[in-house]
């Protein structure tokens, strides 16, 4: 059985595995989804979101979001290969997120929790960081590995003839999860580090990131906010960001 799993994994590796390093943190990542597939999934999801969403009619606010986004991607070499789009959606939900390939969405609802451009830059940096570090593709890859492992074990003595179809099945199961599910704690913390680094490099005040997360932590006591369900704002997050900022100055 071990042999089957091993052979399946080799099959996966042959179809386009990449060992890469996350920007800024340098963490080693195993990524089984190539960048084209990853970007296509993100683009697909962005299209369907835009079909059902209303763009903000506030030109000043929209321009502000676009400008902050552009300022942040401008300081990252890794960001240059993407086609970035920054959208402000008219939606009272408190949310912001980015899709693989560089499509970043802010809801008007989250702006009410931001006192200045630096706080917008904090969330912008964080979302851009998820894209740059390929967190979606990494999560898909983890899911694929566990699916393949399970399938290979269940077929016990029979070695699958087509590794390609195994890969496709696993890929199909994993691809949605990569785009839709919340990120893990590890990814959240890494996006905080990369995001704070980028906002600092772009000339924004990183201490405002702490203020934003403190504000979120306070808000979480009274209500369920969408952004907080995927981005828990707790003592540890704020402590980690504070410690990282000290290394920058
Ligand atoms: Zn995040």
């Amino acid at each position: 059985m071990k042999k089957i799993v091993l052979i399946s994994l080799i099959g996966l590796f042959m179809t386009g595995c990449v060992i890469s390093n996350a920007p800024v943190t340098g963490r080693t990542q195993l990524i089984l989804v190539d960048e084209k597939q990853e970007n296509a999934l993100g683009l697909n999801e962005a299209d369907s979101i835009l079909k059902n969403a209303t763009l903000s009619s506030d030109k000043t606010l929209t321009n502000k979001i676009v400008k902050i986004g552009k300022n942040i991607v401008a300081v990252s070499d890794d960001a240059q290969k993407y086609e970035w789009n920054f959208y402000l959606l008219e939606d009272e939900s408190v949310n912001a997120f980015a899709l693989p390939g560089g499509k970043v969405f802010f809801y008007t609802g989250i702006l009410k929790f931001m006192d200045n451009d630096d706080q917008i830059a904090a969330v912008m940096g964080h979302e851009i960081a998820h894209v740059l570090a390929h967190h979606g593709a990494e999560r898909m890859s983890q899911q694929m590995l566990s699916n393949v492992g399970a399938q290979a074990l269940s077929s016990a003595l029979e070695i699958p003839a087509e590794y390609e179809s195994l890969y496709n099945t696993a890929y199909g199961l994993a691809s949605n999860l990569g785009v839709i599910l919340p990120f893990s704690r590890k990814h959240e913390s890494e996006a905080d580090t990369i995001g704070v680094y980028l906002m600092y490099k772009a000339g924004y005040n990183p201490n405002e990131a702490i203020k934003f997360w403190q504000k979120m932590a306070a808000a979480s006591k009274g209500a369920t906010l969408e952004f907080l369900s995927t981005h828990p704002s707790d003592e540890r997050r704020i402590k980690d960001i504070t410690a990282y900022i000290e290394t920058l100055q």
Side-chain angles (χ1 to χ4, degrees):
M1 277 198 287
K2 273 183 188 161
K3 197 174 164 191
I4 296 167
V5 175
L6 192 70
I7 292 169
S8 308
L9 290 181
I10 291 168
L12 272 183
F13 280 74
M14 284 162 59
T15 48
C17 151
V18 179
I19 304 278
S20 70
N21 290 96
V24 184
T25 66
R27 183 177 60 87
T28 304
Q29 300 171 287
L30 174 66
I31 298 196
L32 303 167
V33 183
D34 75 30
E35 219 164 355
K36 260 191 202 152
Q37 290 172 309
E38 184 194 1
N39 293 348
L41 284 168
L43 207 63
N44 229 354
E45 185 65 18
D47 281 348
S48 76
I49 288 168
L50 287 169
K51 258 179 218 145
N52 299 304
T54 311
L55 290 172
S56 168
S57 56
D58 188 327
K59 288 271 177 299
T60 313
L61 266 187
T62 302
N63 290 341
K64 189 195 278 272
I65 295 294
V66 172
K67 186 167 171 259
I68 293 172
K70 284 184 174 170
N71 285 345
I72 288 181
V73 295
V75 300
S76 162
D77 290 341
D78 295 306
Q80 302 317 309
K81 63 184 169 189
Y82 296 102
E83 216 176 285
W84 295 94
N85 289 103
F86 305 97
Y87 300 103
L88 179 61
L89 303 184
E90 189 62 54
D91 192 316
E92 285 314 295
S93 313
V94 177
N95 207 5
F97 58 92
L99 296 170
K103 311 299 163 197
V104 184
F105 295 85
F106 269 66
Y107 289 7
T108 46
I110 202 170
L111 294 182
K112 299 202 171 90
F113 289 85
M114 294 164 169
D115 299 325
N116 48 48
D117 287 9
D118 304 273
Q119 293 187 7
I120 297 175
V123 173
M124 185 65 82
H126 175 96
E127 295 308 328
I128 288 170
H130 279 309
V131 176
L132 297 180
H134 301 282
H135 286 160
E138 191 180 11
R139 185 171 50 201
M140 267 180 245
S141 307
Q142 288 158 353
Q143 202 60 35
M144 284 159 73
L145 283 178
S146 64
N147 288 335
V148 167
Q151 284 185 36
L153 283 171
S154 71
S155 60
L157 296 170
E158 204 179 325
I159 295 175
E162 296 260 322
Y163 298 122
E164 193 67 23
S165 76
L166 194 64
Y167 174 86
N168 288 339
T169 311
Y171 179 74
L173 291 171
S175 58
N176 268 343
L177 297 171
V179 180
I180 294 161
L181 279 189
F183 290 111
S184 68
R185 185 86 213 204
K186 187 172 70 181
H187 284 167
E188 278 306 306
S189 157
E190 186 167 78
D192 282 343
T193 302
I194 300 169
V196 165
Y197 173 78
L198 292 177
M199 75 178 288
Y200 171 73
K201 222 177 148 191
Y204 294 99
N205 179 1
N207 290 309
E208 290 297 325
I210 300 170
K211 288 192 190 153
F212 169 76
W213 288 112
Q214 282 170 339
K215 216 170 174 184
M216 282 275 119
S220 71
K221 291 188 178 109
T224 318
L225 307 179
E226 189 147 19
F227 191 66
L228 284 172
S229 69
T230 52
H231 294 81
S233 181
D234 49 30
E235 294 259 325
R236 190 175 130 195
R237 169 168 234 148
I238 292 166
K239 228 173 96 195
D240 287 351
I241 295 175
T242 308
Y244 180 65
I245 289 173
E246 275 163 25
T247 71
L248 290 173
Q249 289 152 348

